[in-house]
Amino acid sequence: MKAKITVNKSYTVGEIDKRIYGSFIEHIGRAVYTGIYEPDHPTADENGFRQDVIDLVKKLNVPIVRYPGGNFVSGYDWEDGVGDKAKRPKRMELAWFSTETNQFGTDEFCDWAKKVDSEVMMAVNLGTRGADDARNLVEYCNVKGDTKYAKMRADNGHTEPHGVKVWCLGNEMDGPWQICHKTAEEYGRVALESAKVMKWTDSSIELVLCGSSGYNISTFGDWEWTVLNHAYDNVDYISLHTYYGNEGDTADFIGRSVLMNKFIKGVTAICDAVKAKKHSNKTINLSFDEWNVWYHDSHRRGINWEEAPAIMEDIYDFQDALLVGCMLMTLQNNCDRIKMACLAQLVNIIAPIMTEKGGKAWCQTIYYPFMYGSNYGRGTVMQTITECDSYKTKYADVVPYIESSVINNEEKREICVFAVNRNLEEDMELTLSFESFGECETIEHVMLYHDDMCITNGADVENVAPINVEFDKAKSAEHTVVLKKHSWNMIRFKY
Ligand code: AHR
């Protein structure tokens, strides 16, 4: 089959905010304990952080990491996790039915984030708690001085503030599963009043309002409209969350990013409708702060209140890597409104990085499309004219056989093309026409491919890993490349 992508230097979508390559560490299962923190591990540093995990996280080049939840945050008392570790209480953790030891908390996470060169996206508890604890946590993290919480942080060994810029006003407050779920009216009021006192404590912070936890939740749309009507003037972003599962039809599954695009366009429209209604000059942008594939592991809660139970440890296969690649391209192509996004999550829990307790750390199939996207998807996203056949699925009438994004890195004079060939039977001959860029030469073509859509990686085996593809070195304004059937590709050009 054939396809063509035409780009012109003058026609762009926008600049990528690097924070779209964020991720997420929640206190669930083994994400923290035996994931990023394991004091007895052979690679542990003086803080108990696993160095083997730090190395793999750094290769992903993750600029921001959300913490401490997720559903966990809606029952969390952050004060339990600071100060003398010997005095920190164990708590019954009601989001995931496990025991939280609190041996790792706010200060440890901020220290860990620094080690992996990331910013922190901190969530506050608007479930069991509210505005008071939220503003206290902002003071604890960001204020220098001798007031109660600023002093508490300094007494706990951190004289300098952590400087957390991005704050989430709770998590998935629209979901009946949430600890202290709220209606849109209830949440809109609490979010507004929390936002006010948090920004009064530190006016430099940015706030993310909870949007819907999925496009198909029955309150979608009304929720965004109501909460934005309450809090529009006091927040900066609204969140979106989405996870896709596989119902056994690969063509349908790898086409799901089309639905993600629909979700983004819908939320953008509602933000702009509220803007118009309010006669506002301010634009609310989007934070897609939970996205991934999630369906393999059905163990979603601990049993018997175990500490760090092995739950939600999805082992990803090759087709999951294709969809994750397509979802990341969808985020890139919406960079005019998506300013932050978090692959949920980062370690052990529905994650690109897995660990063995006391043993190895290894990369899942989905690690690679994310790694290349994050490292090379920096710059200006180009508008494209894409000519390609499409197919129909159970959920979408039009799924193009190609999913792609084209990014111009002006500083390096490089064009990076990400592309998935969704055709399960045929290779694709793709013509790339770089109008007005002049002659370009190919500098790299990396592919992810496997015959077996269900193949996985493991601690001792890497079945899905980047493959270098041979390319033509000729300089030209038009290039033709072959995208193997059901493959993910990154092709870089120098101009
Ligand atoms: O990422 C796992 C969970 O999914 C999060 O805790 C929650 O916000 C979402 O439902």
Side-chain angles (χ1 to χ4, degrees):
M1 92 173 304
K2 289 190 181 205
K4 184 172 184 190
I5 295 177
T6 306
V7 291
N8 182 306
K9 215 174 180 178
S10 311
Y11 302 122
T12 62
V13 177
E15 283 299 303
I16 294 238
D17 185 324
K18 66 177 182 183
R19 297 175 302 173
I20 71 167
Y21 303 115
S23 191
F24 181 25
I25 288 286
E26 175 168 0
H27 280 252
I28 323 183
R30 300 194 310 114
V32 172
Y33 306 107
T34 73
I36 61 173
Y37 178 76
E38 190 176 340
D40 298 335
H41 191 270
T43 70
D45 67 9
E46 67 287 0
N47 302 303
F49 305 155
R50 281 183 66 152
Q51 189 60 47
D52 55 348
V53 175
I54 289 175
D55 294 343
L56 291 178
V57 173
K58 283 181 97 162
K59 282 194 193 152
L60 288 179
N61 204 354
V62 180
I64 191 161
V65 185
R66 187 163 174 251
Y67 176 85
N71 297 343
F72 170 82
V73 79
S74 298
Y76 185 47
D77 290 352
W78 65 267
E79 301 88 339
D80 290 344
V82 297
D84 183 354
K85 287 192 179 180
K87 294 192 181 138
R88 297 187 192 178
K90 284 189 179 181
R91 296 288 297 261
M92 290 175 79
E93 202 290 288
L94 300 183
W96 306 110
F97 281 49
S98 48
T99 297
E100 173 56 52
T101 63
N102 283 306
Q103 291 305 292
F104 187 98
T106 304
D107 292 320
E108 288 80 22
F109 185 72
C110 291
D111 289 344
W112 181 83
K114 236 184 237 156
K115 285 227 160 180
V116 297
D117 302 324
S118 265
E119 233 187 276
V120 174
M121 178 191 285
M122 188 73 80
V124 297
N125 175 355
L126 297 189
T128 56
R129 308 185 97 185
D132 194 32
D133 311 290
R135 59 131 183 182
N136 293 344
L137 185 56
V138 174
E139 181 186 327
Y140 185 89
C141 289
N142 287 4
V143 176
K144 198 172 166 90
D146 61 358
T147 51
K148 179 171 172 179
Y149 292 100
K151 186 169 176 307
M152 186 189 282
R153 184 201 63 246
D155 291 347
N156 288 340
H158 287 79
T159 41
E160 287 307 309
H162 295 307
V164 176
K165 184 165 176 158
V166 181
W167 294 77
C168 301
L169 292 161
N171 175 71
E172 294 190 350
M173 298 308 302
D174 62 329
W177 57 86
Q178 201 65 214
I179 301 171
C180 298
H181 161 228
K182 293 180 173 36
T183 65
E185 287 291 347
E186 289 166 348
Y187 173 69
R189 291 279 311 128
V190 170
L192 167 64
E193 295 307 321
S194 304
K196 277 161 51 184
V197 293
M198 290 167 78
K199 282 202 173 174
W200 288 340
T201 305
D202 177 357
S203 61
S204 71
I205 62 174
E206 293 187 328
L207 295 176
V208 185
L209 187 67
C210 282
S212 292
S213 47
Y215 187 57
N216 290 332
I217 191 161
S218 60
T219 47
F220 169 73
D222 287 337
W223 176 275
E224 279 75 5
W225 177 258
T226 306
V227 300
L228 280 168
N229 266 293
H230 279 288
Y232 198 93
D233 294 336
N234 296 71
V235 302
D236 306 282
Y237 309 91
I238 188 160
S239 71
L240 298 82
H241 291 179
T242 250
Y243 297 97
Y244 294 120
N246 188 340
E247 295 168 14
D249 176 343
T250 300
D252 164 273
F253 176 63
I254 62 178
R256 296 284 178 98
S257 51
V258 166
L259 307 179
M260 185 189 205
N261 191 52
K262 200 169 163 190
F263 188 15
I264 293 168
K265 300 297 187 212
V267 176
T268 303
I270 299 168
C271 289
D272 292 347
V274 179
K275 176 180 182 175
K277 185 198 156 203
K278 286 183 175 283
H279 304 102
S280 175
N281 290 324
K282 173 179 170 182
T283 298
I284 297 288
N285 283 315
L286 277 45
S287 171
F288 214 124
D289 48 41
E290 287 189 31
W291 68 272
N292 204 347
V293 169
W294 180 12
Y295 73 99
H296 293 279
D297 188 346
S298 55
H299 298 98
R300 296 201 173 174
R301 276 184 165 174
I303 38 172
N304 299 328
W305 302 98
E306 264 173 276
E307 291 175 13
I311 53 171
M312 287 159 56
E313 300 202 2
D314 277 38
I315 301 300
Y316 290 112
D317 61 22
F318 174 59
Q319 54 196 317
D320 298 330
L322 295 180
L323 180 56
V324 164
C326 291
M327 291 173 83
L328 194 53
M329 291 171 214
T330 304
L331 293 169
Q332 290 165 336
N333 286 328
N334 284 286
C335 72
D336 52 334
R337 296 305 288 268
I338 303 262
K339 300 298 171 187
M340 295 184 284
C342 302
L343 176 69
Q345 299 194 6
L346 186 53
V347 182
N348 287 334
I349 304 294
I350 43 173
I353 299 169
M354 299 299 290
T355 68
E356 295 172 325
K357 183 176 179 195
K360 291 183 182 169
W362 55 277
C363 300
Q364 297 239 42
T365 60
I366 65 167
Y367 182 91
Y368 294 107
F370 188 84
M371 179 186 88
Y372 283 104
S374 172
N375 280 285
Y376 293 103
R378 311 269 173 137
T380 308
V381 177
M382 307 304 296
Q383 279 184 33
T384 62
I385 294 175
T386 304
E387 296 159 67
C388 183
D389 287 346
S390 57
Y391 62 98
K392 191 173 156 73
T393 67
K394 186 172 161 192
Y395 297 104
D397 286 344
V398 183
V399 179
Y401 279 104
I402 192 168
E403 177 82 71
S404 63
S405 60
V406 180
I407 297 164
N408 174 21
N409 189 326
E410 200 129 22
E411 211 179 298
K412 292 189 176 161
R413 296 183 63 81
E414 281 178 22
I415 303 168
C416 187
V417 177
F418 295 100
V420 164
N421 176 5
R422 290 191 178 105
N423 195 318
L424 301 178
E425 310 298 334
E426 286 179 43
D427 294 352
M428 180 184 282
E429 196 180 292
L430 172 66
T431 302
L432 291 157
S433 175
F434 299 119
E435 277 182 2
S436 73
F437 277 95
E439 293 196 324
C440 319
E441 65 177 317
T442 312
I443 49 175
E444 187 178 23
H445 182 169
V446 182
M447 171 176 78
L448 291 174
Y449 175 79
H450 206 285
D451 282 336
D452 181 354
M453 300 302 271
C454 297
I455 198 88
T456 56
N457 288 349
D460 298 308
V461 58
E462 186 146 87
N463 292 308
V464 178
I467 301 165
N468 285 311
V469 180
E470 288 218 0
F471 53 83
D472 182 356
K473 295 200 172 68
K475 284 192 171 182
S476 172
E478 195 163 283
H479 292 256
T480 299
V481 291
V482 174
L483 307 181
K484 213 170 156 51
K485 64 178 181 178
H486 58 77
S487 65
W488 171 97
N489 300 264
M490 180 190 77
I491 312 139
R492 290 166 55 226
F493 300 88
K494 189 105 196 153
Y495 62 88

